[in-house]
Amino acid sequence: MTRMRFLTGTGIVLLLIGGAMQAYRPKLESPPVTAEIQAPDEVRQILRQRCYSCHSNETKLPWYDNLAPAYWVVRDDVLEGREHLNFSTIGAKPEAVQRGMLFESVNTVQLGSMPLPRYLAVHRDAGVTPDELATLRHYLATPPAQSAAPAPAAAAETQFQHWIASNGKPMGTQPDTQVQPEWNGVPFLPEYKNWKPVSSTERWDNHTMRQILGNDIALKAIADGKIDNWPDGTVFAKVAWLQQPDGKGGITTGAFQQVELMIKNSKTYASTEGWGWGRWRGDDLKPYGKDAAFQNECISCHEPVAHSDHVYTAPIGGAQ
Amino acid sequence: MKQLFAAISVVLLLSGCSPNPPKTVYPQLNREAEFRGGLSWNPRSGRVITSWINPGGTMTTLYGDDTAVNYARSHADGAYPAGAKLGAVTWKQQEDARWFGGRIPAQVASVEIVVAGGPYEKYEGSPLAAVPGSDAQRAQFLLQQRAAVMP
């Protein structure tokens, strides 16, 4: 009898707490759909069903998501989701940017980071099915009707001539001009070009070719096979060039596009997953972004490989 | 009451039991793409001069020793000082399991080593073994590749 009374009491208390929670209810606006993503119907259909709850202005919550405290969590996720990728407004961006976001979306799905695992734990049927994933991949693997024009050879030629004349000095000498650090304070390291090779990538999604280079600390970790948690002082550089068809069915490195650095320091960069992130674009090496918030792009894109210390590249093994 | 239970179970679910991520997100070396067999010089001990994609789906990176790299980054003529060493490694390609939209090195298809004013060597197979004979035209092709711009 006492036990029964206790259970009833607890039930009533929980009910009262639960009821009180509903009183705090910050708003979740639904701004107008201004420029929906441009994609064929079968693609948009999948996005609508699987992604729009958090990544559009057309959020539709099931009743159980409307109850606090779940509501609070879901609302935060929706606001954050929209900020990173909003399918209701992305249509205003260039086609290449829209496709780029779809590639990133497919990758986050394949790597199991989207939909968010904790969202999937509750919304069991929300995941992208293998068939749907195949449809998305097929769409992206088919080049757009107006395929990206090859990088102009003349521009690459001018860049090359300028580079060998001004920058191609013996290693170790300072460049004439000081390259600005990134907005988050991460310094540009001109010595990156003398680091050893880690791997390379042909990126057909954005028509670039990339070399991944590493400093001595990175190379030692690779040689020792200890890459679970890269040691402080590790630096990776990822150098990208536009693809330039050679006219014989092959592709060569065209104009230099950008160099990106990841500098590991678990203390200095504790608030950004232990890495300092930077990207310098064009042959004048202009720091990317408008302010330090640019690094949120880096961090969210690298989140799916958090188990690999946020490093995407699988380094080629063996001593160097 | 039903709503309360739903809310409680949501909180419990949020705090645990998420699906496991795929194997590919865990740390791994690309062992498939490493060298097997002896080479007279390891091109990957040098630095990158440039890279290209071949018709038929292989990818090549051209590396050089200090002499070669310093020259390539300040000249367009490919007239390397005698003794400068270059190495071209050609890999088969595979889809990057971590990035749909990327192709990365798979098995090594060939390694070519050319010394300016010296011999040309080619290695093929697994383990890599020297292919007899020389190929002056191919050696010249490798020496004529311009450095990729790295400001």
Side-chain angles (χ1 to χ4, degrees):
Chain A
M1 198 58 202
T2 327
R3 197 169 159 209
M4 195 63 207
R5 221 150 128 215
F6 174 74
L7 280 179
T8 315
T10 312
I12 289 170
V13 169
L14 284 178
L15 196 63
L16 286 173
I17 293 173
M21 279 180 177
Q22 309 312 316
Y24 177 64
R25 198 175 174 76
K27 248 192 156 177
L28 182 56
E29 309 275 0
S30 288
V33 177
T34 51
E36 199 174 7
I37 180 126
Q38 295 159 31
D41 283 345
E42 71 269 21
V43 169
R44 240 195 252 192
Q45 189 55 37
I46 298 167
L47 302 176
R48 281 212 181 98
Q49 196 179 348
R50 305 301 181 192
C51 317
Y52 273 34
S53 275
C54 298
H55 290 287
S56 83
N57 292 341
E58 300 179 81
T59 302
K60 290 190 190 87
L61 299 183
W63 66 268
Y64 48 89
D65 282 343
N66 275 303
L67 292 178
Y71 174 76
W72 304 336
V73 178
V74 171
R75 178 181 174 272
D76 277 357
D77 285 346
V78 171
L79 293 178
E80 200 185 324
R82 284 178 185 168
E83 199 174 317
H84 182 64
L85 164 62
N86 189 334
F87 286 116
S88 299
T89 57
I90 198 176
K93 300 245 172 90
E95 193 190 354
V97 174
Q98 295 184 51
R99 278 180 79 85
M101 281 315 288
L102 285 180
F103 271 100
E104 191 179 327
S105 303
V106 164
N107 280 301
T108 58
V109 169
Q110 290 192 157
L111 296 177
S113 67
M114 279 291 154
L116 288 178
R118 59 187 156 84
Y119 183 84
L120 271 186
V122 181
H123 309 79
R124 297 264 165 192
D125 301 325
V128 178
T129 67
D131 279 354
E132 290 168 344
L133 187 60
T135 303
L136 296 177
R137 284 172 56 109
H138 177 76
Y139 166 61
L140 290 173
T142 317
Q146 279 184 314
S147 188
E157 175 69 18
T158 309
Q159 191 192 53
F160 174 77
Q161 294 298 347
H162 178 256
W163 177 63
I164 56 165
S166 65
N167 254 340
K169 295 173 183 166
M171 291 156 41
T173 54
Q174 285 296 312
D176 299 327
T177 48
Q178 200 69 35
V179 176
Q180 292 301 304
E182 256 293 5
W183 293 95
N184 54 5
V186 168
F188 177 71
L189 304 176
E191 62 268 34
Y192 81 88
K193 56 183 85 67
N194 295 322
W195 293 341
K196 286 190 176 168
V198 172
S199 191
S200 58
T201 319
E202 176 194 0
R203 285 284 297 271
W204 57 267
D205 55 343
N206 58 18
H207 313 285
T208 60
M209 287 165 67
R210 289 155 185 236
Q211 287 285 335
I212 299 92
L213 312 174
N215 69 353
D216 287 347
I217 298 175
L219 269 287
K220 182 169 188 313
I222 294 167
D224 295 344
K226 292 183 177 151
I227 62 167
D228 294 21
N229 188 4
W230 293 91
D232 281 354
T234 296
V235 192
F236 292 108
K238 189 179 259 186
V239 199
W241 299 271
L242 300 178
Q243 294 187 358
Q244 178 113 38
D246 68 358
K248 288 172 274 182
I251 295 166
T252 59
T253 50
F256 167 85
Q257 185 197 36
Q258 64 184 21
V259 55
E260 298 165 311
L261 296 180
M262 279 176 77
I263 305 178
K264 180 75 186 273
N265 191 315
S266 48
K267 289 191 190 74
T268 311
Y269 302 124
S271 63
T272 51
E273 312 290 3
W275 293 94
W277 309 83
R279 173 189 277 166
W280 290 263
R281 280 221 159 137
D283 47 4
D284 57 346
L285 297 169
K286 192 167 173 263
Y288 176 79
K290 302 191 293 286
D291 53 45
F294 85 88
Q295 62 189 356
N296 297 336
E297 274 180 50
C298 315
I299 295 164
S300 66
C301 188
H302 282 253
E303 169 59 28
V305 285
H307 289 290
S308 290
D309 200 6
H310 298 87
V311 174
Y312 267 104
T313 303
I316 295 176
Q320 281 163 256
Chain B
M1 202 61 181
K2 193 179 157 197
Q3 292 190 344
L4 176 66
F5 278 131
I8 289 170
S9 48
V10 164
V11 173
L12 288 178
L13 280 165
L14 286 173
S15 57
C17 58
S18 301
N20 287 329
K23 229 171 45 192
T24 182
V25 303
Y26 293 98
Q28 54 196 314
L29 291 174
N30 184 351
R31 290 268 176 216
E32 201 179 347
E34 69 186 51
F35 296 136
R36 282 178 192 80
L39 299 168
S40 66
W41 177 63
N42 178 357
R44 298 189 77 247
S45 68
R47 287 173 285 131
V48 172
I49 295 177
T50 188
S51 60
W52 58 88
I53 312 294
N54 306 290
T58 58
M59 63 203 296
T60 302
T61 300
L62 181 67
Y63 307 90
D65 67 2
D66 286 354
T67 311
V69 169
N70 290 342
Y71 189 85
R73 290 179 180 174
S74 51
H75 299 80
D77 58 9
Y80 287 95
K85 207 178 271 184
L86 291 82
V89 182
T90 300
W91 283 275
K92 293 174 184 167
Q93 291 185 299
Q94 58 180 323
E95 179 177 333
D96 185 347
R98 291 177 174 175
W99 194 266
F100 173 65
R103 294 188 191 102
I104 59 171
Q107 303 93 333
V108 175
S110 71
V111 177
E112 297 160 283
I113 296 170
V114 56
V115 178
Y120 163 90
E121 298 171 300
K122 185 173 186 177
Y123 298 81
E124 282 179 341
S126 182
L128 290 164
V131 179
S134 191
D135 188 338
Q137 216 178 337
R138 177 68 181 173
Q140 202 50 38
F141 171 83
L142 295 177
L143 293 169
Q144 287 302 324
Q145 297 305 308
R146 287 177 171 188
V149 173
M150 284 194 240

